[in-house]
Amino acid sequence: MSMGKNYFEILKERGFLKQCTDEEAVTGLLQAGPVSAYIGFDPTARSLHAGTLVPIMALVHLERAGHTPIAVVGGGTGLIGDPSGKTEQRQLLSREDLRLNFDAIRAQLGKFLDFAGGKSLAVDNAEWIEPLNYVAFLRDIGRHFSVNKMLSYEAYKQRMEKGLSFVEFNYQLLQAYDFLQLYQRHGCRLQMGGDDQWGNIVAGTDLIRRVEGGQAHGLTFPLLATATGEKMGKTAKGAVWLDADMMSPYDYFQYWLNVDDRDVSRFLGLFTVLPMEEVRSLSALQGAKVRAAKQALAFEATRLCHGEDAARKARDGALAAFSGEGCLDDMPTTTCDRGEFESGVRVNELFVRVGLVSSKGQAAKLFAGGGAFVGERRIKDHNEMVTLADFLEGEAMLKAGKKQRHRLILRG
RNA sequence: GGCGAGAUUCCCGAGUGGCCAAAGGGAGCAGACUGUAAAUCUGCCGGGCUACGCCCUACGGUGGUUCGAAUCCACCUCUCGCCA
């Protein structure tokens, strides 16, 4: 089979690479033919969020390069909880919760990767971790680990201050064991992950060498923060979820459109599959033109997560709401009975009903700040009424701040 | 197991009997300026409501002292440090 550009080069030029066990060896491995490589995903929530998008995209590129991605959703390790980079002990999840999370996350990854067609694999490490026998594990696997060495890792040092339970201390052994299992079962030779996973990844390559005498490799991605120093994927309303029920494609699109200018270039490389020539030319845009780059970023990111149709709708809706182009039907819209506006409807109730604010109290704060509009009319008081006079040809635009808009349509 | 220190709102961090929904900073939201950007300045910033007032919930947990407790007492839980 013919391979295009080396996957390693792709990672490098798109900004995915932080550390690698052996650049030359990995390049060679990838050059030689299709390779299985894996990344572990934490099943601690019902949905993945924008913070886990970097590893997901790394697998997307891997699949596109003709290799075989393996997504390990840690049903087994999830029972323990990775202490890396955490300052406090993780809450342990029940098996049932993990099961539900696992199914949801696998379905979500399935939007990015081709599990159905067999180009990518999704596996649950509970398969080999749950049956483990303690004594056998200690004897066969545990003997390869040096406590002295583990204690010297930066990942554990932090926790040495705060306290680290024995359960968590064992996490690294299990992740290394995952790698070993994947090496044996699927010939997996490469593990990738966030840079906080470095220690765990290297532990896996060591274990494979000791147990199998085999050579495996690891590489890590930089841990992303936005230009303002925030963790990726957080907004006022919470995480930027990849699940359409938890965050609509329209809002997802808006999230990417509103990123800081300084992040656009980097994000285009990481979160789209646009060719690098295009990424570079978009990144070169200056001033107000940066918005064109953001449009591309938002569209591509939304397309990958929610599909072409949803992305188009999100874009058209956003255009309609903010620039008068696009299609009004694709922006958030609520249809109301004409009758209720004859006598008038209280603004605060209206804003709550269409979901622009979460409660009347929130509405009151918005009004006090001067951030609410019905059409061109600024709302200052929660007792104001919205009547037929506020509608133009049966429609009215509600605004909450500069970035949230909602369309009302009269019926009857 | 012993001794010492500690647990405050999304995060950091003040607060030692009423003036405490709790200083200050960060984050966030809103306004002005802009490009649905940044920086800057201004306002908001536990929640709800029949809203210039009322009602819930909150300073690790439980109980107590008091007219009144984040603040005092007792016990418990967890964390950190030293010792075993």
Side-chain angles (χ1 to χ4, degrees):
Chain A
M1 116 173 247
S2 78
M3 309 301 280
K5 192 172 236 172
N6 192 290
Y7 177 61
F8 193 80
E9 284 307 310
I10 296 176
L11 288 187
K12 222 171 176 176
E13 71 178 1
R14 300 194 81 98
F16 282 88
L17 195 65
K18 174 74 178 181
Q19 295 192 70
C20 179
T21 47
D22 183 342
E23 298 202 8
E24 232 170 89
V26 172
T27 309
L29 178 69
L30 290 160
Q31 205 62 53
V35 170
S36 298
Y38 103 90
I39 297 182
F41 291 92
D42 224 5
T44 42
R46 203 152 18 107
S47 166
L48 296 168
H49 51 85
T52 43
L53 219 42
V54 168
I56 293 173
M57 290 306 296
L59 290 184
V60 168
H61 287 292
L62 186 70
E63 187 181 86
R64 289 165 60 91
H67 299 288
T68 309
I70 302 176
V72 173
V73 182
T77 34
L79 287 165
I80 290 182
D82 181 8
S84 305
K86 302 293 185 304
T87 51
E88 276 167 36
Q89 176 156 5
R90 302 287 277 301
Q91 206 182 345
L92 299 181
L93 293 163
S94 72
R95 280 187 173 73
E96 300 78 68
D97 286 343
L98 284 168
R99 188 73 231 166
L100 289 172
N101 292 347
F102 174 81
D103 290 339
I105 288 169
R106 184 178 47 190
Q108 233 163 36
L109 289 171
K111 293 190 171 178
F112 293 88
L113 300 168
D114 184 8
F115 294 138
K119 286 187 188 158
S120 291
L121 254 53
V123 300
D124 182 356
N125 64 4
E127 200 181 316
W128 55 80
I129 285 182
E130 294 246 30
L132 280 178
N133 168 290
Y134 190 61
V135 174
F137 184 74
L138 287 180
R139 203 184 49 205
D140 298 337
I141 305 299
R143 72 192 167 97
H144 296 298
F145 286 81
S146 152
V147 171
N148 311 44
K149 198 171 161 192
M150 285 173 72
L151 288 176
S152 72
Y153 288 144
E154 196 52 43
Y156 289 114
K157 270 188 189 156
Q158 271 191 45
R159 293 296 301 272
M160 296 307 287
E161 315 276 314
K162 287 264 182 182
L164 178 69
S165 78
F166 186 65
V167 178
E168 291 178 288
F169 191 60
N170 276 270
Y171 186 87
Q172 184 166 93
L173 276 71
L174 289 179
Q175 188 165 331
Y177 186 66
D178 278 348
F179 199 176
L180 177 63
Q181 284 289 323
L182 290 163
Y183 178 88
Q184 294 169 337
R185 291 169 182 234
H186 302 287
C188 177
R189 305 281 299 278
L190 176 66
Q191 180 183 177
M192 304 185 284
D195 202 47
D196 56 342
Q197 296 296 310
W198 181 248
N200 294 338
I201 292 172
V202 171
T205 62
D206 280 352
L207 184 63
I208 288 170
R209 192 180 63 247
R210 295 199 163 118
V211 174
E212 294 284 334
Q215 231 204 350
H217 302 279
L219 63 82
T220 59
F221 315 124
L223 297 176
L224 276 200
T226 64
T228 44
E230 278 296 278
K231 259 192 203 155
M232 270 300 294
K234 295 276 184 183
T235 70
K237 289 177 183 168
V240 177
W241 300 108
L242 304 189
D243 186 315
D245 293 329
M246 292 167 79
M247 184 180 218
S248 72
Y250 177 86
D251 286 332
Y252 190 78
F253 183 93
Q254 286 294 316
Y255 171 78
W256 293 106
L257 192 71
N258 282 310
V259 299
D260 192 298
D261 281 16
R262 291 167 292 179
D263 290 324
V264 177
S265 170
R266 211 163 33 124
F267 286 4
L268 279 166
L270 291 169
F271 302 120
T272 74
V273 291
L274 294 173
M276 281 311 283
E277 305 85 74
E278 200 171 336
V279 169
R280 275 187 281 268
S281 67
L282 285 168
S283 300
L285 297 173
Q286 293 293 319
K289 291 194 175 125
V290 173
R291 282 188 51 217
K294 291 187 186 181
Q295 293 274 1
L297 170 65
F299 181 78
E300 284 297 310
T302 308
R303 185 177 71 78
L304 287 168
C305 184
H306 297 295
E308 182 102 29
D309 284 349
R312 201 163 274 145
K313 280 188 177 166
R315 182 192 58 198
D316 292 349
L319 277 173
F322 293 99
S323 71
E325 298 164 40
C327 177
L328 277 172
D329 290 331
D330 288 326
M331 69 171 292
T333 300
T334 301
T335 305
C336 307
D337 286 319
R338 176 173 227 102
E340 15 173 17
F341 289 94
E342 275 161 14
S343 49
V345 177
R346 297 268 298 267
V347 259
N348 56 359
E349 283 165 20
L350 196 59
F351 271 65
V352 171
R353 197 200 302 175
V354 302
L356 282 172
V357 291
S358 57
S359 72
K360 291 181 189 173
Q362 292 301 318
K365 281 176 185 159
L366 181 68
F367 299 155
F373 290 84
V374 173
E376 296 303 311
R377 174 177 147 221
R378 175 172 262 163
I379 304 300
K380 269 299 190 187
D381 187 280
H382 58 271
N383 285 315
E384 289 183 39
M385 304 299 266
V386 176
T387 63
L388 289 175
D390 289 301
F391 288 82
L392 192 65
E393 292 172 17
E395 292 192 15
M397 187 74 79
L398 304 184
K399 298 179 198 169
K402 280 180 295 192
K403 294 170 190 170
Q404 285 192 82
R405 301 188 175 185
H406 198 98
R407 187 170 68 134
L408 281 186
I409 303 182
L410 288 183
R411 170 179 51 203

